[in-house]
Amino acid sequence: MDYLVHQRRLLPHIAKSYALGFAQNELISAMHRIQSMPATEVDPQEQRELEGRAAGLKVVNTWHAARAIQESREACGGAGYMAENRLTSLRADVDVFTTFEGDNHVLTQLVAKELLTAYADEVRGMSPVEWMRFAADTISDVVKKRTAAQQIIQTILDTRQDNEEDGSLFNRGTQLTMFEDREQYLLSTAARRLQAATKREDNPFDAFNFVQDHVLHAARAHIDRVVLEAFVAAIDDCTDEATCDLLSDLCDLFALTVIDEDKAWFMEHRHLSVERSKAVLRGINERCRTLRPHVMTLVEGLGVPEYLLGSAMLDREGAAGS
Ligand SMILES: Cc1cc2nc3c(=O)[nH]c(=O)nc-3n(C[C@H](O)[C@H](O)[C@H](O)COP(=O)(O)OP(=O)(O)OC[C@H]3O[C@@H](n4cnc5c(N)ncnc54)[C@H](O)[C@@H]3O)c2cc1C
């Protein structure tokens, strides 16, 4: 873990595991609240948002698991490939999750369609052709919906002292704004392109197909924003100062990694200058260095059950503490 490259390969996965854990906890709380209500009091719109959220988190969780385990396997070299060290069987176990309960691309598309039609009840059960007709009339006004963290996020945005171009990339307000702006831009431009395509193409399949990649990108940006907001809310809930600081650094690493992965988009759309783009990379390296001494705490904090610990390779001489 002392190698920068090893840190770069593994720490962002740990940061994302925390981020997804917080988002999953938020989802479960919302589900518990809704399912504990008398059926007559359940808001159908809220119920549909919850279903969309669950679909989106299924996608990111399962892709994350598959990629993180593969990277961890490689990070352990040949030992990672040995059956006794269990990474290969874990990888085999999680593989199918990207497909079953709904292929991840298909589910991402579902998230986008629901966002674009503002979770309208009418959409349920529509064929793709019917959806395109409905969408053409209704998607002109895509409205951003905040998560449960609404108040905290608004306070962070209202009290920030700087702006996107000059502010520190470690500023939470800057990160939140970059995530929000990307989602809003992608959704509203996807909506406009869908409407234009519907007018231009006779066949609704062709019309949708024309912008399918854009629509999927919008959904991914939405899911990223929801996950970041859940992370921010979790930090706000944390009462221990040292834990709060550690989570805050981890949140920086998560946010900057997401920006780095979609850097081409941010630059193409002038949301990131060349200089800022280099600063994103520097920020990731800096956070890797800050987090390095806390890596055992972070891994223990994930609460991996005892019976899964104690891989054979960790018993080898000299491996302890690494
Ligand atoms: C091990 C295992 C256990 C299972 N258990 C169950 C079970 O107990 N009960 C049950 O009901 N089902 C079960 N399934 C089925 C599972 O739910 C489906 O495999 C899953 O929903 C994906 O559907 P599909 O196989 O038809 O693939 P498809 O949806 O046909 O996807 C095939 C490929 O086409 C792509 N694709 C599909 N649609 C689109 C589109 N609109 N745009 C672009 N690309 C698209 C997908 O991304 C994917 O790459 C199981 C599957 C597996 C592998």
Side-chain angles (χ1 to χ4, degrees):
M1 285 307 297
D2 288 330
Y3 290 119
L4 174 65
V5 173
H6 233 58
Q7 294 164 15
R8 282 284 298 273
R9 290 167 71 186
L10 298 173
L11 285 172
H13 287 304
I14 294 178
K16 194 165 184 177
S17 296
Y18 273 86
L20 293 175
F22 293 133
Q24 188 74 16
N25 289 347
E26 208 175 66
L27 177 85
I28 291 167
S29 305
M31 193 176 85
H32 176 71
R33 189 173 44 76
I34 289 177
Q35 290 191 343
S36 311
M37 284 179 186
T40 48
E41 284 175 29
V42 173
D43 175 0
Q45 166 106 356
E46 206 182 345
Q47 170 86 31
R48 288 181 61 73
E49 277 180 44
L50 182 73
E51 288 169 12
R53 179 86 49 93
L57 287 181
K58 181 270 181 189
V59 170
V60 280
N61 271 307
T62 56
W63 266 332
H64 170 60
R67 286 162 192 171
I69 292 173
Q70 176 63 20
E71 195 61 57
S72 306
R73 204 292 291 149
E74 290 179 37
C76 295
Y81 195 70
M82 303 290 280
E84 64 175 4
N85 292 319
R86 302 186 207 149
L87 284 163
T88 46
S89 49
L90 274 177
R91 187 183 55 193
D93 281 351
V94 301
D95 183 16
V96 75
F97 286 103
T98 59
T99 297
F100 81 3
E101 299 292 346
D103 164 77
N104 278 359
H105 287 97
V106 175
L107 282 183
T108 309
Q109 196 160 282
L110 177 103
V111 173
K113 283 182 168 181
E114 300 229 321
L115 282 171
L116 287 164
T117 42
Y119 300 97
D121 262 347
E122 298 91 316
V123 174
R124 180 161 290 188
M126 277 184 185
S127 70
V129 172
E130 288 166 335
W131 184 83
M132 269 307 288
R133 287 203 190 104
F134 178 83
D137 294 332
T138 52
I139 56 180
S140 55
D141 190 21
V142 178
V143 186
K144 179 177 61 203
K145 288 194 167 53
R146 284 220 180 281
T147 58
Q150 179 158 1
Q151 259 182 338
I152 309 150
I153 308 292
Q154 204 55 55
T155 310
I156 291 174
L157 294 178
D158 291 346
T159 53
R160 67 187 286 229
Q161 306 282 327
D162 50 16
N163 59 55
E164 284 86 78
E165 197 43 43
D166 305 320
S168 164
L169 285 162
F170 294 142
N171 182 311
R172 197 74 66 225
T174 301
Q175 296 162 359
L176 284 163
T177 307
M178 287 177 79
F179 276 53
E180 282 196 357
D181 287 354
R182 178 177 62 138
E183 176 192 350
Q184 195 64 16
Y185 186 95
L186 280 163
L187 270 175
S188 54
T189 48
R192 276 205 297 277
R193 288 186 64 204
L194 268 171
Q195 282 181 321
T198 315
K199 288 190 190 121
R200 198 180 55 240
E201 307 286 339
D202 292 334
N203 182 340
F205 174 83
D206 291 337
F208 184 76
N209 220 22
F210 198 73
V211 288
Q212 191 181 28
D213 56 342
H214 186 155
V215 162
L216 290 175
H217 197 171
R220 286 197 299 274
H222 168 76
I223 301 166
D224 284 341
R225 195 258 301 172
V226 166
V227 173
L228 178 62
E229 291 194 357
F231 208 146
V232 172
I235 297 171
D236 189 71
D237 274 349
C238 176
T239 47
D240 179 80
E241 204 179 324
T243 311
C244 238
D245 290 345
L246 189 56
L247 286 177
S248 190
D249 286 349
L250 205 60
C251 188
D252 285 339
L253 183 60
F254 167 70
L256 293 183
T257 303
V258 171
I259 294 169
D260 187 53
E261 283 166 358
D262 209 9
K263 210 184 237 179
W265 184 88
F266 281 105
M267 291 179 80
E268 281 168 7
H269 294 81
R270 304 194 194 291
H271 288 265
L272 201 62
S273 66
V274 173
E275 282 316 308
R276 294 280 279 174
S277 159
K278 291 179 189 167
V280 170
L281 216 54
R282 282 198 299 276
I284 291 175
N285 282 352
E286 194 174 322
R287 279 296 168 259
C288 281
R289 275 189 286 270
T290 330
L291 289 166
R292 163 65 187 107
H294 304 284
V295 75
M296 283 303 278
T297 309
L298 290 171
V299 171
E300 280 168 9
L302 290 170
V304 179
E306 279 292 322
Y307 70 90
L308 289 173
L309 300 176
S311 241
M313 64 181 149
L314 297 180
D315 291 336
R316 306 259 188 279
E317 203 184 339
S322 64

